[in-house]
Amino acid sequence: MVLRIFLLAVCLTITFIPQSQNNDRVNDYTRLYKTAEKLYNSETPTNSSDSLAFLNYSKVISILKENNKNDPVLFDCYLKSGIISMSKKEDQRALNFFFKSIALKNKSPFIPDSLLFKSYLFTGNEYHNLFNMDSASYYYNQAEYLINKYPAISEAERLYNQAGVLYYETGEYKKSITYFKKALSIVEQQVPLNKYFVVNYENNIASAFKKSGDFEQALTLYKSLLPYNINKNELLHNIGATFLEAGNYKEAISWLKKVQYNNQSKYNDVGKAYMLLHNTDSALHYFNSSLQFQNDLHSTQKNPEYAYTLKYLGDILVEKNLPAQALKNYQQAIIQADPDFNDTNIINNPQSFYGLHQTFFLFDALVAKAGAFQLQSTQKTDYVLLKQSFETYSSALQLARHVERMYNSDESRLFLKKSVDPVYKAEVETGLQLYEALKDTAYLLKVLKYIEDDKASVLQADLHELELSSIDGLPKDLLQEEKRLKAVISGLNNRVSQNKDTALNNELLSGIQDDEIQLSTIQAKLNDDPAYYKLKFNPPGIDIKTIREQQLQKDEAIISYYYTTKRLLCFYITKERLGYVSEPLQTAMSQKIFTLRDELGLQDKGDKKAINEICAWLYTYLIRPVIQNLEKKKHLVVIPYNEISYIPFETLIDPANNELLLNNFAISYNYSVNFLQRYKAGQDIYKVLAFAPFTNSTPGSKTYPILKASLDEVAGLTGKVLLSEQATKSNFLKLESQYPIIHLATHAIVDNVNPLKSFIAFYPLSGDSTQEYNLYESEIYNLDMAHNQLVILSACETGNGQMINGEGIISLSRAFFYAGSKSVMTSLWKAEDISVTFITKHMHEYLRKGYAKDEALQLAKTDYLENNDIDPRFKTPAFWAPLVLTGDFNPVVINHGDRSYVMILLIAIIASLILFILIKKRPGILKFPIK
């Protein structure tokens, strides 16, 4: 070190003395610039060479600024001075140089736009180092715009990798993989191949697999990189961290101890593994080593690794039943994790979230803090502490809602949902404890809001974004391009799923990767628009008071189900009252629901006695506790939760009188109270677009079985009925926007493993690929069906699908909701053709007369049960109950029955008036005094 300082001093003397002796040479910046460049581009740079390069660049900057000339050289000096400062971790000075380079370009016509790429890239890197994720994202986006404009820009792979890291750190793992793979694809085309970058980018891909829960693929990829002997210790560390996240703590410690370096990250991971093995002494040893490492840094900059250490120490204190001490640790961890929060008072939490954060850790730290308050309140029976717990959970959920809106893909939102749903349950339980103890209705309303925000929150976010596309003043071109790219990506994904040619699939996947990156660029531009950002992150809320006062009629009721780890809740909402009933959560409920679903799906082979017993049990458990609050109600909206979504409530039987719930209520379903809106019937004429591709006369039915009753199902409908070879996918896409009601009497395939591969089948023309006649769920998501009042999907199991905890059933019907349809009628299990035909035809008749949708379905089912021509064997719920209505239940067309009544009344009034006039003219009758 002493020798290096001496050499630096000598070099400085050599640099400065000659220039102080000769003014002409001071102004000769060319020689200085060449010297700086030689030092900067040295194959073996040192701190000394970098310092000398920086000093020479500084001299050039001073000369050129004084003479106001040669902007490109001045720009380069600013840029490289910033890069040298960045390498020395002098972040603010580096940023200052990068800003100067950007400002110079913006006022100089002589500097090419493409040169700004590195300025933007390194500015983004600096903000990333400072944990300012918003600013980092902004500058990465600016750099990406330049790549799109100038594809030949060098070092694009660095940008894609850095953007991938940013998405990785904020929880969008799928998107991060797309960017890492793009960076890798660029490097792999370079000659000679840079193995260091290959290992680096492959490592990042593996890390994203690890975080998304694909531990096997992550481990395989990490281990495949070990033979390169590049960054071997980092790879060993990542392998250990993967075993740690997978829950194999002993194996994690084994791999982590092979790592030759020591840093906070390693100490935290080893300490966490020991903590989870309940080896507290060893855990504390490693956490204390991490604290010492932090002290040795002598840095005031916020540090995520320090945040991890503080949080883990808090966890140990909670384990030791010391919540008061743990709270101090958690508060400090939150401060370290949130760039905008610095309050050391433990009763305070972050209240506002802007842009990007270390999302998952900050969320976990807030949840841990809430748990510590809860533990402390239990120890002291102190409701003030319980309130603090409730408020801290609220802060965590506010963060989760913000992040859910930040994410632009359902996959990322659903992944987040897995972490968030248990916290909603904890918040609900805490809020109810406060309400029941303090009788403060504010807690009851907050709890109900959290419940309804939790249900189908991903769909809520999707629909809100869909609504933005129709609002004036927003960037329509970007919104249209976003929609186009989503449709293109959906189509390419479907082609990959259907294609078996590996080479073609690789080409398609490459196209998907590029389109997804382009989509991310468009979405980033949208978020940069202030009007769009404000509306996206501040959606208009629907409060219970508004629903009760402005939307609910006197004959309508809502029941909303939810359960925590302890109890089943049923909230009832009517115009007159609001409340809930609580029952102990019975583990038998889930088993009975799935048994009922299976038995009903067997139709005439199902166990009728078992079905009746389960329907009676479910009535007793789910309906009886709340039935007294539903008296004199005609319309019942059921908002289920999780597996309760599989229950056709119409089949539930009151064991007291053996009466079906169908007889007492017109029942519809919805995903959340937040979806409830009052849509007015805007149609005077009943118009239906109907498709029946697989009728008796369909010659192309080799692909799918003939649906014998489908012709009768759609016969006589007012509007447009397309049969056989006219019932094509292309005709559906061409015509669907022209009709308020769509009826699809066709086949549907539901894929519970990969819901986006579910589809509705149309007529397969000769030579068609499956892409051309199957309408996939992913394609439905990209339709614009905001005009649509009702979609009738009489195909088998269209209401079935994969159950996502807290989100509901990911079904074809959900896809139509996402596309904007107001309501959808679907089948919960494979329905029998004759019963479906009878019910749908009768429902159309009632809808045509202006009946509400739920009432039309109720009356159609009642007609079926009361029809003497139908064999009693076919009157079990297995035949009449699969069709259910989800969404808006109001009439599709103006109620002609009501209009006729008004007309009759009007005629009667006119007739009475005429009669009165005639009587008045006859002498001797009803004479009035004349003045």
Side-chain angles (χ1 to χ4, degrees):
M1 178 60 74
V2 174
L3 178 61
R4 183 172 292 179
I5 293 172
F6 172 76
L7 289 174
L8 177 60
V10 171
C11 290
L12 289 176
T13 304
I14 293 171
T15 300
F16 282 110
I17 291 176
Q19 294 188 36
S20 64
Q21 294 172 346
N22 190 331
N23 263 345
D24 291 334
R25 295 177 67 188
V26 167
N27 292 319
D28 183 13
Y29 69 86
T30 305
R31 182 179 58 80
L32 292 168
Y33 180 68
K34 287 181 178 178
T35 302
E37 286 287 274
K38 184 176 180 180
L39 290 164
Y40 180 86
N41 293 308
S42 169
E43 291 185 3
T44 56
T46 63
N47 285 336
S48 297
S49 65
D50 282 348
S51 296
L52 286 171
F54 181 85
L55 289 171
N56 279 278
Y57 283 133
S58 297
K59 277 289 184 181
V60 176
I61 289 169
S62 178
I63 294 168
L64 293 180
K65 282 179 65 179
E66 184 179 339
N67 290 276
N68 194 28
K69 65 177 183 178
N70 208 327
D71 288 343
V73 173
L74 180 57
F75 178 91
D76 193 53
C77 290
Y78 281 140
L79 176 64
K80 288 173 179 171
S81 296
I83 293 171
I84 292 171
S85 300
M86 184 171 67
S87 70
K88 294 185 175 184
K89 300 188 183 304
E90 297 170 347
D91 300 311
Q92 290 300 332
R93 187 165 76 167
L95 277 174
N96 186 46
F97 280 116
F98 295 142
F99 289 150
K100 286 180 178 179
S101 70
I102 294 169
L104 180 63
K105 161 62 194 83
N106 289 336
K107 70 178 183 179
S108 171
F110 304 108
I111 302 173
D113 288 350
S114 57
L115 291 184
L116 274 176
F117 170 74
K118 288 186 178 179
S119 295
Y120 287 145
L121 172 62
F122 291 124
T123 302
N125 288 352
E126 275 304 300
Y127 276 120
H128 184 239
N129 292 338
L130 294 168
F131 307 107
N132 187 333
M133 303 302 188
D134 286 329
S135 295
S137 178
Y138 172 80
Y139 283 101
Y140 288 150
N141 290 333
Q142 297 303 312
E144 194 169 345
Y145 301 156
L146 289 175
I147 287 179
N148 292 332
K149 189 175 180 180
Y150 306 105
I153 286 178
S154 63
E155 299 190 55
E157 68 275 9
R158 291 180 183 271
L159 169 67
Y160 289 123
N161 182 62
Q162 283 301 123
V165 170
L166 191 67
Y167 286 122
Y168 170 88
E169 291 181 345
T170 53
E172 288 207 76
Y173 302 122
K174 182 178 183 294
K175 189 175 285 190
S176 73
I177 291 172
T178 298
Y179 276 82
F180 292 145
K181 285 185 174 180
K182 180 65 176 177
L184 180 63
S185 69
I186 295 173
V187 169
E188 288 177 333
Q189 295 172 17
Q190 296 172 352
V191 179
L193 181 67
N194 189 321
K195 293 181 180 179
Y196 174 83
F197 285 127
V198 170
V199 171
N200 186 28
Y201 299 157
E202 291 268 25
N203 168 76
N204 290 348
I205 293 169
S207 296
F209 282 134
K210 174 189 71 178
K211 283 294 186 181
S212 59
D214 193 344
F215 303 123
E216 186 175 346
Q217 191 160 355
L219 287 170
T220 300
L221 189 48
Y222 282 136
K223 290 178 181 179
S224 72
L225 299 174
L226 288 173
Y228 284 98
N229 208 30
I230 296 173
N231 290 341
K232 188 170 184 178
N233 282 308
E234 286 81 359
L235 290 170
L236 293 171
H237 189 161
N238 285 336
I239 292 170
T242 305
F243 280 115
L244 177 60
E245 292 204 25
N248 191 339
Y249 308 129
K250 290 183 179 179
E251 190 72 13
I253 291 169
S254 173
W255 283 90
L256 288 168
K257 288 191 172 180
K258 295 176 184 178
V259 178
Q260 296 302 305
Y261 59 69
N262 289 313
N263 60 22
Q264 282 179 287
S265 178
K266 176 185 170 182
Y267 290 141
N268 280 335
D269 284 343
V270 178
K272 182 180 179 182
Y274 277 120
M275 179 180 70
L276 293 170
L277 287 169
H278 304 290
N279 187 338
T280 304
D281 290 341
S282 295
L284 286 172
H285 167 75
Y286 284 97
F287 293 146
N288 287 330
S289 296
S290 177
L291 288 177
Q292 185 59 51
F293 197 101
Q294 176 68 25
N295 292 335
D296 292 343
L297 289 176
H298 302 292
S299 173
T300 58
Q301 184 174 301
K302 292 190 176 185
N303 180 358
E305 287 299 334
Y306 181 37
Y308 283 120
T309 307
L310 291 166
K311 195 264 182 185
Y312 296 150
L313 287 170
D315 293 343
I316 289 176
L317 289 167
V318 167
E319 189 72 22
K320 291 183 174 182
N321 238 10
L322 299 171
Q325 296 178 38
L327 284 166
K328 296 177 183 178
N329 277 61
Y330 290 143
Q331 191 72 7
Q332 289 298 325
I334 291 165
I335 290 170
Q336 291 293 318
D338 189 329
D340 306 313
F341 183 72
N342 298 289
D343 195 332
T344 57
N345 190 335
I346 62 170
I347 69 170
N348 295 325
N349 301 297
Q351 295 299 314
S352 301
F353 301 98
Y354 302 97
L356 304 167
H357 293 74
Q358 296 280 343
T359 305
F360 287 114
F361 175 77
L362 180 56
F363 179 81
D364 288 343
L366 285 165
V367 171
K369 178 185 171 184
F373 270 126
Q374 200 163 32
L375 175 61
Q376 198 177 18
S377 74
T378 303
Q379 292 175 341
K380 299 183 177 182
T381 318
D382 187 337
Y383 289 108
V384 173
L385 292 169
L386 195 61
K387 287 181 181 179
Q388 294 300 328
S389 175
F390 185 82
E391 294 303 321
T392 308
Y393 278 131
S394 296
S395 178
L397 292 174
Q398 187 178 352
L399 169 61
R401 293 286 281 176
H402 170 77
V403 172
E404 192 170 56
R405 305 250 177 223
M406 281 295 301
Y407 290 166
N408 289 306
S409 73
D410 277 5
E411 189 163 7
S412 296
R413 288 169 173 165
L414 289 171
F415 184 81
L416 174 69
K417 186 87 173 181
K418 294 177 184 177
S419 302
V420 173
D421 192 59
V423 182
Y424 273 107
K425 285 180 166 56
E427 175 75 319
V428 167
E429 195 61 56
T430 306
L432 288 178
Q433 288 178 37
L434 287 166
Y435 170 70
E436 289 162 359
L438 306 177
K439 305 304 179 188
D440 184 346
T441 54
Y443 284 106
L444 177 61
L445 292 173
K446 286 180 180 179
V447 163
L448 183 54
K449 176 168 173 47
Y450 279 122
I451 286 173
E452 300 307 321
D453 284 348
D454 182 30
K455 290 179 179 178
S457 62
V458 174
L459 184 58
Q460 290 184 53
D462 289 336
L463 289 178
H464 176 59
E465 288 180 13
L466 184 67
E467 290 167 1
L468 296 182
S469 63
S470 62
I471 296 175
D472 292 334
L474 298 184
K476 299 291 184 186
D477 55 335
L478 293 178
L479 289 165
Q480 289 172 1
E481 181 63 7
E482 180 189 36
K483 184 176 181 64
R484 185 193 72 80
L485 284 167
K486 285 182 176 179
V488 169
I489 292 167
S490 170
L492 290 173
N493 275 317
N494 286 333
R495 287 183 64 189
V496 170
S497 68
Q498 301 299 319
N499 182 58
K500 296 181 180 179
D501 185 331
T502 303
L504 178 57
N505 270 354
N506 288 337
E507 183 181 336
L508 292 171
L509 288 170
S510 177
I512 291 170
Q513 175 180 282
D514 291 342
D515 286 334
E516 285 181 339
I517 288 173
Q518 191 177 350
L519 177 61
S520 295
T521 304
I522 295 297
Q523 289 168 335
K525 285 182 179 180
L526 281 169
N527 286 338
D528 287 341
D529 184 276
Y532 179 87
Y533 187 93
K534 182 178 180 181
L535 289 170
K536 179 178 178 179
F537 290 93
N538 297 281
I542 298 177
D543 62 83
I544 301 301
K545 182 179 179 182
T546 300
I547 290 172
R548 292 179 64 196
E549 292 180 356
Q550 300 180 18
Q551 295 189 19
L552 277 180
Q553 303 302 311
K554 287 187 176 181
D555 64 348
E556 298 170 359
I558 302 167
I559 54 174
S560 178
Y561 291 95
Y562 192 78
Y563 56 76
T564 67
T565 56
K566 298 179 181 179
R567 51 178 155 176
L568 173 75
L569 300 165
C570 180
F571 285 81
Y572 52 88
I573 306 169
T574 67
K575 206 160 190 68
E576 301 83 11
R577 63 187 70 173
L578 165 70
Y580 72 96
V581 293
S582 172
E583 297 285 324
L585 184 63
Q586 295 195 29
T587 55
M589 180 185 71
S590 296
Q591 181 184 352
K592 289 184 181 295
I593 290 172
F594 289 117
T595 301
L596 176 64
R597 186 182 65 161
D598 293 342
E599 292 294 336
L600 289 172
L602 294 173
Q603 294 189 353
D604 58 335
K605 297 179 182 178
D607 187 334
K608 296 177 179 59
K609 181 180 178 183
I611 290 171
N612 288 338
E613 288 177 352
I614 293 173
C615 287
W617 188 94
L618 289 172
Y619 180 97
T620 302
Y621 189 46
L622 298 175
I623 296 295
R624 179 175 288 170
V626 76
I627 194 66
Q628 64 182 4
N629 299 292
L630 308 178
E631 292 177 355
K632 299 181 181 179
K633 304 303 174 188
K634 177 180 178 181
H635 301 275
L636 180 63
V637 180
V638 178
I639 300 176
Y641 180 69
N642 285 359
E643 65 269 34
I644 298 174
S645 304
Y646 289 120
I647 301 173
F649 273 69
E650 294 92 328
T651 67
L652 301 191
I653 301 170
D654 184 350
N657 54 24
N658 208 33
E659 187 173 12
L660 288 167
L661 198 64
L662 171 74
N663 297 333
N664 297 320
F665 300 100
I667 299 173
S668 64
Y669 303 83
N670 219 312
Y671 294 100
S672 164
V673 165
N674 294 337
F675 287 97
L676 297 177
Q677 296 185 50
R678 180 68 63 179
Y679 297 105
K680 293 182 179 179
Q683 304 292 324
D684 189 44
I685 301 173
Y686 192 73
K687 293 196 307 179
V688 183
L689 175 64
F691 287 77
F694 306 104
T695 62
N696 287 330
S697 59
T698 304
S701 60
K702 294 178 182 178
T703 309
Y704 296 103
I706 292 172
L707 294 173
K708 295 180 180 179
S710 62
L711 178 60
D712 189 32
E713 189 176 325
V714 299
L717 292 177
T718 306
K720 194 175 189 67
V721 177
L722 297 177
L723 308 174
S724 303
E725 65 271 9
Q726 295 300 312
T728 62
K729 177 180 174 180
S730 61
N731 277 337
F732 171 79
L733 296 175
K734 188 194 312 179
L735 298 170
E736 58 87 12
S737 63
Q738 301 174 28
Y739 293 83
I741 304 168
I742 292 172
H743 187 141
L744 302 178
T746 181
H747 289 285
I749 301 298
V750 176
D751 189 328
N752 288 334
V753 177
N754 186 350
L756 292 181
K757 290 184 179 179
S758 301
F759 62 84
I760 295 169
F762 288 87
Y763 186 90
L765 293 171
S766 178
D768 273 359
S769 67
T770 54
Q771 180 71 26
E772 292 173 283
Y773 60 80
N774 289 339
L775 180 67
Y776 288 90
E777 186 169 321
S778 57
E779 295 177 285
I780 299 170
Y781 275 82
N782 293 309
L783 297 176
D784 183 0
M785 301 187 71
H787 61 281
N788 182 265
Q789 294 292 321
L790 173 64
V791 174
I792 296 174
L793 301 172
S794 61
C796 303
E797 300 181 287
T798 45
N800 204 349
Q802 186 183 58
M803 172 64 68
I804 302 292
N805 190 32
E807 192 62 23
I809 301 173
I810 310 298
S811 64
L812 286 164
S813 62
R814 179 194 173 95
F816 281 102
F817 271 101
Y818 180 100
S821 180
K822 306 298 184 295
S823 56
V824 184
M825 190 176 83
T826 53
S827 176
L828 291 177
W829 59 86
K830 180 175 173 57
E832 200 275 329
D833 287 350
I834 296 175
S835 59
V836 167
T837 299
F838 183 102
I839 291 170
T840 53
K841 284 182 77 68
H842 281 240
M843 183 180 179
H844 277 296
E845 287 300 318
Y846 288 116
L847 288 172
R848 185 183 288 109
K849 294 175 182 177
Y851 281 86
K853 299 168 196 168
D854 59 347
E855 191 177 3
L857 181 57
Q858 178 196 29
L859 292 171
K861 289 179 175 179
T862 303
D863 288 348
Y864 179 85
L865 290 172
E866 293 177 353
N867 190 299
N868 294 326
D869 294 332
I870 296 175
D871 191 317
R873 291 179 303 160
F874 302 129
K875 291 186 177 181
T876 66
F879 291 92
W880 61 262
L883 297 175
V884 294
L885 176 72
T886 304
D888 172 63
F889 61 82
N890 291 284
V892 177
V893 295
I894 296 169
N895 193 321
H896 295 288
D898 290 345
R899 191 172 65 180
S900 299
Y901 173 77
V902 172
M903 187 64 71
I904 291 168
L905 184 61
L906 183 59
I907 291 171
I909 292 171
I910 293 171
S912 299
L913 183 60
I914 293 171
L915 180 62
F916 172 76
I917 294 170
L918 291 172
I919 292 173
K920 182 179 177 183
K921 289 181 178 180
R922 292 178 63 184
I925 300 177
L926 294 176
K927 292 184 178 179
F928 293 92
I930 298 173
K931 294 183 180 179

